[in-house]
Amino acid sequence: MGIPEIFAYLESNEPELQREGAFMAGEAMCREAIPQLARLLVSPNLGVQDAADMSLRKLGGKEVVAAVIPLLRSEDAPARNLSMDILRQVGHHNVQPLIALLKDEDPDIRIFACDILGATRKLRAVHPLCDSLLHDPEVNVRYQAAVSLGEIGKSDATEALNEALKDDDWVKFAVIEALMKIRDDSSIVALLGALDKSSELVASIIIDALGEIGHIKAVPVLINYFTGAAPVLRNKILKAVVNIMGTKTLTFLSDKDRVTFASYLLSAVDDEDTAVQDAAIVGLSCIGGEAASDKILMLAASINQEQEPERFQKAINGLVALGLTPALLNSAGSDDERLSKVALTVLIHMGTPDALQVCTKVFWHKDRDGQRDIARGVGALAGKEVKPFFLRILRESTDGSILKSALSFLGIRMQFVDVVEDIVPFLNHPFDDVKEVALDACIAIGGKSVEALFNEMLHDPDPFKRTMAVYAFGKMDVRSHLADLEDALNDEVADIRKIAMEAMAGVCGDNPDLLSRVVPRMINDESREVRRSLVEFLGSSQCSDAVAYLIKALSDADDWVQIRAIESLGTTGRCDVIPALRPLLTSPNQLIRMKVVQALGRIGGKEAFQELLSILDTQDMELLEAAEQALDLIQADDGEVLE
Amino acid sequence: MTSSFTKSITLRKQVTMDDVEFGHLRDFIYEKCGIYIPDNRKYLLENRLLNRLRFLGLRTFGEYFYFLKSDQGGKTELQALFEVITTNETSFYRNPAQLKVLENGLLKSVMDEQLKKGSRDIHIWSAGCSTGEEPYTLEIILHEILKAQRSLWNITIMAGDLSEAVLASAARGEYTEYALRTTPKAIIARYFTPIGNGRYLINPAIKKHIFFHQINLNDRAQLRNIRRSHIIFCRNVLIYFDEAMKKRVISSFYDNLLPGGYLFIGHSESLHNISRVFKPIHYPSAIVYRKEG
């Protein structure tokens, strides 16, 4: 749609056409339409307003700022709010006219200007806002200036904000919030100085701010203030001190104060403010004791782990620090699911033999999810003492996830030789993931009996068993089973041939006899997966014959076989492969073209350099970029090419 | 023998997704369908795409990204990608409070308006219908309200989703007991036929009024071609999108709705800070958005 059509739509009387025109103006970045779009912000039709709004935001720039500013004076409240919102988003494109509004006669306009300037986050706005904060006669302007200075968050505003702590309470709230956001150390003295002269409400905000700023200088003053403070402020002080000092909180206290502090921390767990609760957890975890453990357990059980994962973790960490308390042990076996879950999580986090033993004792009384958590946690951390526990799981549990934890512990982690017979039945488990872990468990244990088992499976009529055997030999000791793996290349099942080929790739690259036996018959394998694995195998080969096979693979019907062959040829560094690669520079597959370019870069030398130069006139920007990188690589590696 | 077991075991090294690959794939997905994958979901994308890499025999997520962009197979793979990145957690009669609003008056008011205009045509659009539970539920509600009069009305339900695989499943109309977990027993008895193994088939009388179609909510041109609706359901779909995409989608719904039409979004979703074009109408436990006439 051209500009005349856009204007025809914008000037139509039909709201749907106006909306369409407004969208088109945005999509076409039609700056000429900005004044018209600004006018549409006061359209009675919400759809038209919406489209004009979206397009003005998209267009942005100083013209939009200029066009929207007059709407701040509109009597139509929704239009005024909309223009404020647009200016918050695009005002940074031109702050000067917004700064000028700070001197407007209308206090409402000055408030709007402060608000918008805050959203621009521009340093240029800081000093004019500081001026408004300290000198504007209207309290709401001063308040908004403080809010915006906090939003901008530059320390250039600190001095003015410190000064404004003498203003009335309403402004002071915003000033303290702003100082909290800026976190400049120079505010500490000003805030501490204001503490004694403030109302209870303002003092509470100052205490929060001191906690947030987190400077150790505030701690002694806060502790002194604590004794004489109103009860409502005490939890705030506790929070602030714990926030600043963390687990070292108690080192600042005398023995007597410590007892008093501990009792306050216990009651602070019940505070409505979750931040106070969290601070109490940290404090109590240093003090210890049964009462602390009990309180934190109850609190943790009430936290929704999904919605507040960090708070939950804090509570868990606190309980871990308190150790194996009777409250924790009782909770682990509790019928209260949430409490029990918390206790088990704590025990698993502790990870000590005693803690994990408790988990195994309560395991059989828990629901499926609880059992899964225990099996996973114990399996990852415990030692050989829990072997009977996991053997019982293999006998009695039917849950795939729990079985996997048991198999993984017994076979993969602990490699108990005498449990092979217990694990082998799981190679036939109906769940694939259980089968896989059982297989890896057998492989990890290894030894003669396991090897014999896989030897037998290798010749089993069941293809699943043959697959497992080939996979196992590929993982255990390929060189000892080379003949078996070579036989498996004749298997009727493609997946088995593929795994056999993957297994051989790692060790047989330097064996020319093997190469001449394997490659001719596999390079035409009907399965592309097998051919891909073969090409990877050839890529790892040190034999000179491999290159000829790789060149042959360049004409494979499967693109990925070609790609693997190109990659492998690239690593040979041989210039004589370039003629074979050259035709693929015109492949319809872009990735193949890219891979050839990268391979030429790796091969290097004059011929590759010339080849790459010849494609610099391509219209394909990605290919061009790859060619430039390849040329850089050659120049870096082999500077004489250019000479 | 091809099975998930033999396909999944491999001696290749485990592939992981680096941040550059994640960035490329995230941008690609966003460009194609508007779904935004936040950083904390990287592991989920990696897990879910790993099977695609194995299936395609690719070594890295970078190769997968190229494969998606390539002409060879990329288009087909796009569908597989869509299936992987969308979840299809839904059920019949999900969020009953919203459905009650439709049953207890809203539908009737739309019908009355149509009758005043001398029309018996109503169009409902279920945008993001997943495996079909929502549009079928809507049609069941229509049957329950109108009973024999259903045939006197030309009410069509257009049900769209990004994934062709879920649409194929929706068109089959076969469900497990789990999909019916929030459905009243009497409704199950009336509109479903048990076919054994805990599975049920939706009755053909319900099926025939629903038209399934593949839809990409990021494709404004495609959305413009959808017949204009009296009611749009788009529940629990906006959660996949970032703010810009939400704004685009809601704007498209506004354009599609006829004046006086209604938009239902998920009960935990809101248009706050997204759009002001709709008038929110508050019902007990539900908010419905109306396009003013």
Side-chain angles (χ1 to χ4, degrees), chain A residues 558-569:
Chain A
D558 180 66
D559 284 356
W560 288 100
V561 173
Q562 289 186 32
I563 286 166
R564 300 289 175 244
I566 295 165
E567 289 169 343
S568 297
L569 287 168

Side-chain angles (χ1 to χ4, degrees), chain A residues 16 19-20 23 46-47 49-50 82 432 436 463 467 495 502 532 536 560 564 567 589 594 622, chain B residues 1 4-6 8 10-12 56-59 63 66 69 220 224 228 251 254-255 276-277:
Chain A
E16 291 206 1
R19 179 170 158 84
E20 185 65 16
F23 275 128
L46 285 176
Q49 272 186 31
D50 176 59
L82 193 55
D432 285 349
E436 277 185 43
T467 306
D495 290 333
E502 286 174 357
R532 283 180 199 176
E536 284 175 31
W560 288 100
R564 300 289 175 244
E567 289 169 343
N589 183 332
M594 297 278 287
E622 269 187 273
Chain B
M1 177 189 69
S4 58
F5 177 71
T6 56
S8 67
T10 176
L11 290 163
R12 289 167 191 268
L56 296 164
L58 306 184
R59 275 179 182 167
E63 287 186 353
Y66 267 109
K69 291 203 308 175
R220 199 172 165 86
R224 281 183 188 181
R228 295 190 67 178
S251 177
Y254 180 85
D255 286 334
R276 306 175 310 113
V277 287

Side-chain angles (χ1 to χ4, degrees), chain B residues 160-171:
Chain B
D161 200 277
L162 182 64
S163 162
E164 284 173 2
V166 297
L167 288 170
S169 165

Side-chain angles (χ1 to χ4, degrees), chain A residues 18 131 376 388 582 625:
Chain A
Q18 281 185 324
D131 190 49
R376 197 182 308 115
R582 187 178 295 129
E625 196 182 326

Side-chain angles (χ1 to χ4, degrees), chain A residues 448-493:
Chain A
K448 296 271 180 218
S449 65
V450 171
E451 205 165 323
L453 170 77
F454 286 128
N455 257 324
E456 200 179 308
M457 287 167 72
L458 191 65
H459 303 103
D460 198 286
D462 180 352
F464 282 104
K465 292 193 176 163
R466 297 204 302 279
T467 306
M468 288 183 185
V470 172
Y471 173 84
F473 287 150
K475 279 225 156 181
M476 289 166 79
D477 181 6
V478 177
R479 287 184 195 279
S480 311
H481 297 281
L482 211 49
D484 292 327
L485 291 167
E486 205 178 330
D487 279 350
L489 291 174
N490 295 320
D491 200 291
E492 61 186 17
V493 177

Side-chain angles (χ1 to χ4, degrees), chain A residues 483-539:
Chain A
D484 292 327
L485 291 167
E486 205 178 330
D487 279 350
L489 291 174
N490 295 320
D491 200 291
E492 61 186 17
V493 177
D495 290 333
I496 296 177
R497 301 200 299 277
K498 182 195 75 169
I499 296 169
M501 187 56 73
E502 286 174 357
M504 294 173 77
V507 294
C508 309
D510 52 354
N511 186 334
D513 291 342
L514 184 69
L515 202 71
S516 62
R517 284 201 308 275
V518 168
V519 182
R521 73 170 190 266
M522 303 309 291
I523 202 157
N524 296 315
D525 194 286
E526 62 183 28
S527 159
R528 61 181 191 165
E529 305 289 338
V530 174
R531 300 201 305 279
R532 283 180 199 176
S533 297
L534 171 69
V535 172
E536 284 175 31
F537 160 60
L538 288 170

